[in-house]
Every structure is written in structure tokens, then in C-alpha cells.
Amino acid sequence: MCSIEGFTGPQPFTIEDYTKFNKDRGPDDTNHWDDGIVHLGHNLLAIAPQPKNKSQPYETDKGNVLCYNGEIYGLDPQTYDTEWLADRIETKGIQSLKHGINGMWAFSWYDVENQKLYLVRDHFGVKPLFYMEINGNLYWSSTTRPLMACLLYTSPSPRDATLSRMPSSA
């Protein structure tokens, strides 16, 4: 099980600190991406050797960033899911995932040019993705551990935060 994590805005901790809370979900590789507005982290659990794998968060040629965990069913085994998914979103739009794509996934997609962030789960919610909002900043993760830890740094009272599990898409 890999993990994805992230948050928006300046914080009293780094994305490296935040990502460490899920290190057990991806002990094979950890990478980060940060532009000062959006901070993304990914922990990789290598299930099988995949020489074509590219590190995540994955930055496209257009500068958008994808942080992905999951599997898309029916792709050629030589196809790299993350690259395919990023290309699909850039060419057909994120709405194109609602119909005709089968699999299990959770991902964050950051449209850098338009400064839009999307958090997306598969239709049945197989891959977990939790999020919360505190003081106008958004925090998300594959587990609740980083979210609970950041409460110590960001909120005078845990009651000020709202923790939610991403709903399955309709």
C-alpha cells in the first residue's frame, strides 16, 4: 500500500515531516513536491520490480502534478498507470474519469497554472483518502495519522477542525 499526503499553505512543519507519518505504507521510496502553495508527498511500496516506474509526485510536461495511489484495470501491463492517468486528465479533463475508467485509486491533481487542487477517489472508495480543513488550509492523506499530528501544530482545539473521509463518487 502506497500513500499520498499533502497540504496547502505555509505550515510550522514541512511536507517531509508530514509524509513520515505514513512511511510504513511505502518503505521503498519517498518523494515530495512543493511550490509554497501546495505541498505533496508520496510513499511507495514496490509490489513488483517495475523498471519503468517514475517517481511521484509526478510532474507533467505542462507543469501539473499528480500524486497517485492505486491501479487502473484493463491497461496494458507495460503501461505506467500514473503517466497514463496524468495524460488522460490533461487531454480529456478530470471529469472524464467519472465514466469508463475502472479501478481503485486515490489521488491529488494540482493544476498549477489555474491553482486548482483536486482530491479524487475511485467510485467505490476502495483506496482511502481523508481530509480536513483548518483556518482555510486543506490537509489530506491516505491515513489519519498525519492529519491528527498536524492538529497539534495548527489548531488551538481539535474541535476547530473537521476531519472527513472522501465520499465515493456518484
Side-chain angles (χ1 to χ4, degrees):
M1 284 203 173
C2 300
S3 72
I4 63 171
E5 299 81 30
F7 55 84
T8 61
Q11 302 298 328
F13 50 85
T14 66
I15 187 62
E16 291 83 3
D17 296 332
Y18 193 73
T19 305
K20 286 178 186 175
F21 286 99
N22 282 335
K23 186 66 178 162
D24 63 314
R25 289 179 59 103
D28 298 315
D29 195 18
T30 300
N31 290 292
H32 310 93
W33 184 92
D34 181 337
D35 71 352
I37 300 168
V38 173
H39 314 265
L40 302 170
H42 183 270
N43 287 303
L44 174 70
L45 174 62
I47 296 173
Q50 303 228 348
K52 288 179 58 180
N53 271 0
K54 297 177 181 170
S55 66
Q56 290 189 58
Y58 176 74
E59 190 168 359
T60 71
D61 292 339
K62 293 182 180 179
N64 298 315
V65 185
L66 176 65
C67 198
Y68 167 77
N69 177 24
E71 179 181 359
I72 298 170
Y73 305 142
L75 294 181
D76 181 302
Q78 300 302 313
T79 301
Y80 179 55
D81 283 16
T82 306
E83 191 171 21
W84 182 91
L85 181 59
D87 183 62
R88 172 79 180 225
I89 294 168
E90 284 190 334
T91 58
K92 297 187 178 185
I94 203 155
Q95 300 80 6
S96 72
L97 301 177
K98 187 165 184 168
H99 301 288
I101 306 296
N102 189 13
M104 57 177 183
W105 64 77
F107 67 84
S108 57
W109 172 260
Y110 182 42
D111 177 343
V112 176
E113 182 179 342
N114 296 308
Q115 293 187 335
K116 285 190 175 185
L117 175 68
Y118 299 87
L119 300 179
V120 181
R121 280 188 32 195
D122 61 84
H123 305 299
F124 294 107
V126 175
K127 291 291 183 183
L129 186 58
F130 300 90
Y131 69 97
M132 68 181 178
E133 187 270 337
I134 303 172
N135 299 326
N137 287 312
L138 188 63
Y139 306 81
W140 65 94
S141 174
S142 299
T143 73
T144 58
R145 289 181 302 231
L147 302 175
M148 301 306 280
C150 86
L151 285 173
L152 298 172
Y153 293 101
T154 59
S155 180
S157 167
R159 289 176 295 211
D160 295 339
T162 303
L163 176 62
S164 303
R165 183 177 173 128
M166 289 288 294
S168 299
S169 60

